[in-house]
Amino acid sequence: MSDPHILTPEQQLAEAKQRLHLPRIVVICGSTRFTAEMNEADLRETKAGRIVVKPCGDTKSPHGLFSDPVEAEALKTRLGDLHRAKILLADEVLVVGGCIGDSTRAEIAYARSLGKPVRFTHPEVDPAV
């Protein structure tokens, strides 16, 4: 029989956020081709009093950090891991954009496996529907 006073790390995090009186944390997910829409969603969510975290930017656009293909692939992997950590930290997920690719679909599945609520700017793209 397990001790009812022993909390999972996720439960400890939720309790700590409550004790700190933190606003809800929303992580934005979606294709980086929707960067403008993500920025707009960031503004709306922030105006509503939520803390917003989102992808670092468009990894498909030219940038010095992505010039070496080997380093770029390693960075892409690290950024994916970091984004999953953002999902774990968040209270809910907001999926931005009118279509969903494989990476976003995996992020939605991960969020739902953690019991995180998932909202969509375009509800018709929800893979669960």
Side-chain angles (χ1 to χ4, degrees), residues 10-59:
E10 292 83 3
Q11 291 168 324
Q12 291 175 18
L13 175 61
E15 284 194 4
K17 289 192 298 188
Q18 278 186 319
R19 282 194 308 274
L20 292 168
H21 304 288
L22 291 177
R24 286 187 66 79
I25 300 172
V26 177
V27 62
I28 294 177
C29 294
S31 170
T32 55
R33 70 179 142 162
F34 299 117
T35 298
E37 291 91 336
M38 287 182 184
N39 291 338
E40 180 65 28
D42 184 350
L43 288 171
R44 285 193 313 271
E45 295 295 314
T46 300
K47 182 180 179 205
R50 298 178 190 98
I51 296 171
V52 178
V53 291
K54 61 184 180 179
C56 72
D58 185 355
T59 58

Side-chain angles (χ1 to χ4, degrees), residues 53-117:
V53 291
K54 61 184 180 179
C56 72
D58 185 355
T59 58
K60 296 176 179 94
S61 294
H63 190 284
L65 290 174
F66 309 113
S67 59
D68 178 290
V70 174
E71 288 181 22
E73 197 56 38
L75 178 58
K76 184 177 177 183
T77 299
R78 287 195 314 273
L79 292 175
D81 292 344
L82 184 58
H83 198 67
R84 280 184 292 284
K86 292 175 185 179
I87 293 169
L88 179 62
L89 176 66
D91 298 302
E92 62 182 304
V93 172
L94 175 60
V95 179
V96 174
C99 64
I100 295 176
D102 292 339
S103 294
T104 303
R105 191 176 312 278
E107 291 165 355
I108 293 166
Y110 178 62
R112 286 182 167 153
S113 77
L114 296 171
K116 307 283 180 174

